[in-house]
Amino acid sequence: LTPQHHLLFTFYNVSCKKSSNPMKRKTNELIGHSVLPLYSPLGLIPDKTHELRVAQNLPDNYLIPLKINQSGLAFKFKGEKVVRIRTMVIS
């Protein structure tokens, strides 16, 4: 594994309402993305709960550098860590 191996989460707001107006039939609205690196210089991802922020958009080179908090991205929810992911590495 390298520091560029990661899990990418994409979040959508899915509308279940039916609308007779074709202009309002937007069913999926992109909320944003979160990235969880699987490897760091310290080793594999630890077994724990990870808290992630949601970026509005990811640039094409979002993995270079992988330090998302220093890459100038715009975050949703005032930059708060609103996504919680629990990991358990099984080999």
Side-chain angles (χ1 to χ4, degrees):
L1 289 175
T2 70
Q4 292 178 327
H5 284 93
H6 64 284
L7 296 175
L8 173 64
F9 300 95
T10 302
F11 302 100
Y12 290 94
N13 181 22
V14 179
S15 175
C16 297
K17 285 186 177 181
K18 292 184 179 182
S19 175
S20 59
N21 184 345
M23 299 301 288
K24 293 186 179 181
R25 287 190 187 161
K26 195 173 189 180
T27 56
N28 295 338
E29 181 181 355
L30 178 67
I31 295 174
H33 308 278
S34 290
V35 175
L36 180 62
L38 296 177
Y39 182 81
S40 75
L42 300 175
L44 286 175
I45 187 172
D47 294 341
K48 69 174 197 173
T49 299
H50 304 270
E51 295 182 343
L52 307 173
R53 294 183 288 174
V54 178
Q56 289 178 337
N57 293 303
L58 292 177
D60 292 338
N61 62 345
Y62 72 94
L63 290 176
I64 307 168
L66 193 56
K67 299 173 185 167
I68 288 187
N69 58 346
Q70 297 175 359
S71 64
L73 294 176
F75 291 99
K76 300 286 245 180
F77 313 107
K78 300 178 184 175
E80 293 181 26
K81 296 180 179 181
V82 296
V83 177
R84 288 180 184 82
I85 305 293
R86 173 85 170 110
T87 58
M88 182 187 311
V89 178
I90 300 175
S91 168

